[in-house]
Amino acid sequence: MRSYLVVPALVLGLTAPATQAQQRSMSPTPATPITALVIHGGAGYVARDALSMEDENAARADLDAALDAGNAILSSGGTALDAVEAAVQVLEESPRFNAGKGAVFNAEGGHELDASIIAGHTRRAGAVAGVTTVRSPIALARAVMEHSPHVMLAGGGAEAFADTRPEIERVPNQWFDTDKRRRQLEAAQSKAQARADTAGEPGRYFGTVGAVALDQHGHIAAATSTGGMTNKKWGRVGDAPIIGAGTWADDRCGVSGTGWGEFYIRNAVAHDICARVAYRGDSLRDAAEEVVNTIVPAAGGDGGAIALDRDGNIAMPFNSGTMYRGWIRPDGSRGVAIFED
Ligand code: ASP
């Protein structure tokens, strides 16, 4: 728990009662700066025996590398925004997660990538949807935030904006291909011949990646990046790039979601978790549990979320059997996990 230094002038009887402006300037200041970081590599349904030891170790190593990347920034006094971008970029580069390299295929056999990022204390945000040639969609989302007057750019417009940013690396769409995702597309398409629509059918592995961080300045940022859902069509956009649905941060709470995006959009999942903390005084844990494990399933959806508050509390609820996740708490304790253990 963070402790606070508050000037107890009134208690000491030294001064007259503070004016409102004085009270504002006396807002709690952390005695000792703390940091915390939580990441995810997607919720889903992976049976223990379906995951080889080699794949499990490789995924755990990627999660550890993402924690290291974010933590290196936080522990040297860097910003939560830089930390979440760095952590997400490690996972975008890994072929094991559904973001960047390794993104799922859409119905046409290509990839359309979504991402968003938000700084809680300024509420500045950037997002891209349906980009096809951007190696790191989270970097482009951040560029939208910092170098455009907009929050969200989509499709050809987002690609045109990327053309104006020399720091944004471009790749051919096939660069995102992996054999595993192609097999998943083939399986989804053969099921689709038997059913009207498999997009949104439970029982999949979602695989989106995300990060939420608290920095030494007491600021929170959140980021999410994804290839969306296998076999998606018609330019489908999920929750990941939608601020308030898949990604949210304010000055006391941040969230990144992973799951069946349509339900995360309909229920404004990421924002709802933080709103419960802000308006009802719910603990982070109660807020995240209620939204992910009651509200989303009651509506017919599934998935998980990672959440973090300004005291460094972390919540990682999921209702899908697995969620690849990792955390570093303010006391430095850290871990990675996949199953419910
Ligand atoms: N939420 C993502 C989407 O609906 C999928 C995921 O979490 O993997 O696009």
Side-chain angles (χ1 to χ4, degrees):
M1 274 302 217
R2 177 188 295 182
S3 54
Y4 296 103
L5 278 176
V6 179
V7 180
L10 197 55
V11 176
L12 295 172
L14 299 176
T15 64
T19 64
Q20 275 193 350
Q22 283 167 336
Q23 281 172 357
R24 273 197 299 275
S25 72
M26 285 161 50
S27 66
T29 305
T32 315
I34 59 169
T35 64
L37 176 64
V38 59
I39 61 171
H40 71 80
Y45 302 82
V46 183
R48 255 173 215 274
D49 52 10
L51 190 64
S52 71
M53 195 47 87
E54 194 188 339
D55 282 346
E56 179 171 341
N57 289 341
R60 285 174 177 274
D62 287 342
L63 291 168
D64 260 323
L67 285 175
D68 287 342
N71 196 43
I73 291 165
L74 295 173
S75 57
S76 60
T79 65
L81 203 59
D82 284 342
V84 294
E85 182 182 6
V88 163
Q89 280 186 316
V90 169
L91 300 175
E92 286 180 333
E93 285 293 305
S94 165
R96 275 169 280 278
F97 301 97
N98 171 20
K101 179 79 182 170
V104 297
F105 284 90
N106 63 16
E108 290 78 41
H111 308 274
E112 295 160 305
L113 311 174
D114 303 335
S116 67
I117 190 165
I118 179 168
H121 67 299
T122 59
R123 213 62 64 73
R124 292 183 72 208
V128 292
V131 295
T132 54
T133 68
V134 175
R135 179 165 176 161
S136 172
I138 201 66
L140 186 61
R142 182 155 178 189
V144 171
M145 170 180 136
E146 289 181 339
H147 303 293
S148 90
H150 307 301
V151 169
M152 189 174 194
L153 302 178
E159 295 284 331
F161 173 71
D163 292 343
T164 72
R165 302 301 316 168
E167 77 278 15
I168 298 296
E169 188 177 346
R170 313 298 281 278
V171 290
N173 194 247
Q174 298 85 333
W175 182 84
F176 300 107
D177 290 4
T178 53
D179 291 343
K180 177 174 129 186
R181 299 296 183 202
R182 193 176 293 285
R183 287 194 298 275
Q184 287 175 346
L185 175 67
E186 286 161 5
Q189 289 187 330
S190 56
K191 266 195 203 163
Q193 286 172 349
R195 292 170 53 113
D197 183 7
T198 59
E201 179 195 355
R204 309 153 315 271
Y205 166 54
F206 298 114
T208 289
V209 309
V212 190
L214 168 69
D215 65 28
Q216 290 184 14
H217 318 284
H219 298 151
I220 296 171
T224 312
S225 181
T226 188
M229 291 177 72
T230 301
N231 203 27
K232 65 185 182 179
K233 53 191 171 187
W234 303 318
R236 182 262 187 192
V237 175
D239 58 312
I242 298 179
I243 296 297
T247 310
W248 177 255
D250 54 35
D251 54 6
R252 68 182 83 193
C253 168
V255 174
S256 170
T258 168
W260 190 346
E262 279 67 11
F263 292 88
Y264 280 58
I265 297 170
R266 290 175 186 139
N267 292 284
V269 162
H271 182 266
D272 191 19
I273 292 172
C274 291
R276 285 161 186 266
V277 173
Y279 307 154
R280 302 205 321 187
D282 285 5
S283 71
L284 183 80
R285 186 195 167 104
D286 287 351
E289 286 283 337
E290 173 85 4
V291 174
V292 169
N293 287 333
T294 303
I295 293 182
V296 169
D302 56 355
I306 54 171
L308 176 156
D309 70 15
R310 65 180 171 188
D311 295 319
N313 295 306
I314 286 171
M316 301 173 282
F318 56 100
N319 54 55
S320 52
T322 59
M323 185 168 76
Y324 290 75
R325 58 202 188 277
W327 61 90
I328 303 181
R329 297 186 193 279
D331 65 4
S333 61
R334 63 185 279 168
V336 299
I338 300 172
F339 301 102
E340 270 164 357
D341 45 28

